[in-house]
Amino acid sequence: MSVPSKPSRPKTPRAKTQSAKPAKPRRRKAEKQAEASIPLADFAARNKARAAKIEINSELLAHAHVSKAWPFEEARKVLTRLKRIPKPTGAIIFETGYGPSGLPHIGTFGEVARTTMVRHAFRVLTEDKIPTRLICFSDDMDGLRKVPGNIPNKEMVAEHLGKPLTQIPDPFGDHPSFGHHNNARLRAFLDTFGFDYEFLSATECYTSGRFDKTLLKVLQHYDAIRDVILPTLGPERRATYSPFLPISSVTGQVLQVPIIDRDVASGTVFYKEPETRKLTQAPVTSGHCKLQWKADWAMRWAALGVDYEMAGKDLIDSVRLAGHICRILGAQQPEGFIYELFLDEQGEKISKSRGNGLTIEEWLTYASPESLGLYMYQSPRKAKRLYFDVIPRAVDEYVGHLAAYPKEEQDAKLMNPVWHIHSGVPPKAELPISFALLLNLASASNSEDKEVLWGFIRRYAPEATPQDHPLLDQLVGYAIRYFHDFVKPAKRYRLPDEHERAALVDLYARLGKLPAGALSEAIQGEVYAVGKKHDFEPLRAWFSALYEVLLGQTQGPRFGSFVELYGIPETRALIQKALK
């Protein structure tokens, strides 16, 4: 089989082409999601299998202890913590938090996926002899401040503003409460990817008494905790701030009211009930109160014995304050990792409420979950754009790392992202062509038929079949969907000028003299020769002309590789059409 020489970097159409809003799909959304669910199910099954048992040998262990891959660097922090604070009878606790007032999103996936990578690295470093748990914690006792815009029965929900999410009727009508509905969505979301986790609900932890012992410590150290938070507040908020938020026995709302007095001996606080104006005594235990969120975060770390939790850059100050409170409660702040935030195509922070940026459903429509895992692995401390035009590059980079893995030494394998994405067991995959080239093949042929693209692929790699190359077959489907929704609507062909016309006539003739089966290097040589002969300055102007005139886009693949795959007769037909 002939293999094209490696391009400097296969290019897909510019951001202008790729980041345009999706055209109205001809196919139903459900049909696209059904196609995307097949590789997702495979990904989940592999994740579940790897979570059960991991294989470790002496060579792997030796390299893991010195690897500079960031999950190992993070895992070594937890290992050092374990030596400093032994946990002879308990598991090492990794935690991620979730605010269930909205639906799970791509950031939720990122935090759980990254934490899972660190957990797996820790298991390797300890030869899997120390138990670990990943807790996904839902803050479902928070009071709902505003009605989300993407739910039914908004009027019904509006009547319960201020109440804990688990005390608000489910607007969808299929769960006991709105909080239970969103928790179910979160769990289904995590299960879809096969993550190994333990789900905890704030409501259950508070009302069951699981947090009672630590809540009484918060009451005991009330003044010290207030002193940590007060300097960060404005004058008006300082006058009323209390770490405890009573749950009104009259309205059921989470109350932001001043605490008038407290009784450590009885474990209660006193406040004036807004509805009746009466002085009311409430226990701080058993779900009669909850904590303000920075104090709540610290209390949870202490109560659950959390050893590791990541946080976004926007929470740096909150991590610092919660850590101080955690120490006041007699516990050690978890080891942590501050990751950068995702940006939209304009470079602005992605926001759930604004809905800018890319959703996880959109990513999985056009690319595999493994490519999303790669995007989350790469440069977590660097702010990255998360929009449609990053997808093709992420796919090809994932495929490139996967192809390189079998040939690498053990130390390099641990630096390879696919080792962490697949928990040390990357699948075998041989791909004769790149995703970028597939995308441009769909663009040149204007085809949305997988069999048409497979016809070109079989000419280039006769032994390749959808059955023997399932990953390649998935990529063909992704390329067609991406082409249909992003590339095709933005195609803009132009006529060649006289200078370009003469060069195209020359290229048409030269391609006709090449032997059948000419390789990409020979083809690329002829393309370069035409550009130099016709005095294109700079030479890239000649390639830009080829892309704009023949493909209707501002950038394209390495032209020789493209012609080898697409076919010399077919490329000459494109030139002939442009000349006419």
Side-chain angles (χ1 to χ4, degrees), residues 466-574:
Q467 293 73 31
D468 295 337
H469 291 74
L471 178 56
L472 179 56
D473 191 48
Q474 290 172 15
L475 293 186
V476 170
Y478 290 135
I480 287 173
R481 291 198 288 274
Y482 195 94
F483 163 71
H484 176 274
D485 288 351
F486 298 100
V487 179
K488 187 175 181 179
K491 272 179 166 290
R492 298 291 182 271
Y493 293 94
R494 69 171 177 81
L495 295 172
D497 60 27
E498 289 306 311
H499 180 209
E500 294 162 347
R501 176 176 289 274
L504 285 169
V505 169
D506 191 0
L507 180 60
Y508 179 87
R510 288 177 183 245
L511 290 178
K513 295 176 183 178
L514 288 174
L519 301 182
S520 61
E521 281 304 311
I523 299 168
Q524 189 77 358
E526 294 297 335
V527 178
Y528 267 106
V530 170
K532 291 177 180 177
K533 177 183 175 182
H534 291 267
D535 298 323
F536 280 90
E537 187 60 41
L539 192 59
R540 66 173 175 269
W542 164 230
F543 289 94
S544 295
L546 289 173
Y547 303 139
E548 292 168 6
V549 172
L550 302 182
L551 301 180
Q553 56 199 48
T554 55
Q555 293 189 37
R558 190 172 190 268
F559 207 72
S561 300
F562 166 73
V563 175
E564 183 185 8
L565 178 61
Y566 187 53
I568 290 176
E570 287 79 6
T571 305
R572 295 182 80 218
L574 283 179

Side-chain angles (χ1 to χ4, degrees), residues 1-56:
M1 180 186 73
S2 59
V3 180
S5 59
K6 185 179 178 182
S8 55
R9 178 175 290 159
K11 293 183 178 179
T12 46
R14 255 179 223 228
K16 179 180 177 183
T17 298
Q18 293 186 358
S19 60
K21 293 280 185 186
K24 210 169 200 179
R26 293 179 188 171
R27 298 176 300 155
R28 291 175 300 170
K29 183 178 180 182
E31 184 182 345
K32 290 185 176 183
Q33 290 176 339
E35 291 176 357
S37 69
I38 297 172
L40 184 54
D42 293 341
F43 180 76
R46 289 194 296 267
N47 264 358
K48 288 179 180 177
R50 284 189 294 268
K53 184 179 180 181
I54 59 176
E55 299 293 334
I56 303 169

Side-chain angles (χ1 to χ4, degrees), residues 110 240 579:
T240 62
L579 292 173

Side-chain angles (χ1 to χ4, degrees), residues 9-10 12 18 358 363 366-378 384-402 417-418 421 435-436 475 482:
R9 178 175 290 159
T12 46
Q18 293 186 358
L358 191 65
W363 185 293
Y366 305 108
S368 66
E370 290 89 350
S371 66
L372 179 58
L374 172 69
Y375 188 82
M376 296 302 172
Y377 175 88
Q378 292 175 318
K384 296 186 293 185
R385 292 175 67 250
L386 185 57
Y387 209 66
F388 294 101
D389 57 357
V390 307
I391 293 177
R393 180 175 176 180
V395 173
D396 269 338
E397 287 182 345
Y398 168 74
V399 169
H401 288 303
L402 198 61
V418 298
I421 294 166
F435 183 68
L475 293 186
Y482 195 94

Side-chain angles (χ1 to χ4, degrees), residues 133-257:
R133 293 161 55 203
L134 171 59
I135 291 175
C136 184
F137 192 91
S138 172
D139 290 305
D140 57 15
M141 205 169 168
D142 289 350
L144 184 66
R145 289 178 291 180
K146 63 179 181 179
V147 179
N150 58 347
I151 63 170
N153 298 313
K154 295 183 180 64
E155 299 80 6
M156 177 188 74
V157 172
E159 295 175 4
H160 298 274
L161 285 179
K163 292 182 181 179
L165 290 158
T166 46
Q167 297 301 315
I168 296 173
D170 180 15
F172 297 89
D174 51 13
H175 288 86
S177 73
F178 189 29
H180 285 85
H181 174 92
N182 285 346
N183 285 341
R185 292 289 296 268
L186 171 65
R187 298 177 75 169
F189 175 85
L190 298 176
D191 292 341
T192 297
F193 291 97
F195 287 121
D196 177 41
Y197 69 98
E198 175 186 342
F199 179 81
L200 288 184
S201 154
T203 299
E204 291 178 7
C205 287
Y206 269 99
T207 58
S208 69
R210 185 168 187 170
F211 285 163
D212 282 0
K213 183 178 178 181
T214 314
L215 288 168
L216 291 172
K217 284 187 179 179
V218 174
L219 183 62
Q220 181 183 353
H221 297 284
Y222 185 95
D223 290 328
I225 292 171
R226 281 185 85 244
D227 290 344
V228 171
I229 300 297
L230 290 183
T232 68
L233 305 176
E236 186 175 336
R237 188 74 187 89
R238 274 201 299 268
T240 62
Y241 176 82
S242 163
F244 287 102
L245 302 175
I247 310 297
S248 172
S249 59
V250 179
T251 64
Q253 294 177 327
V254 181
L255 301 176
Q256 297 249 8
V257 293

Side-chain angles (χ1 to χ4, degrees), residues 54-73:
I54 59 176
E55 299 293 334
I56 303 169
N57 57 54
S58 57
E59 183 187 10
L60 169 63
L61 191 61
H63 287 295
H65 276 286
V66 295
S67 176
K68 293 184 178 179
W70 69 261
F72 278 115
E73 292 180 336

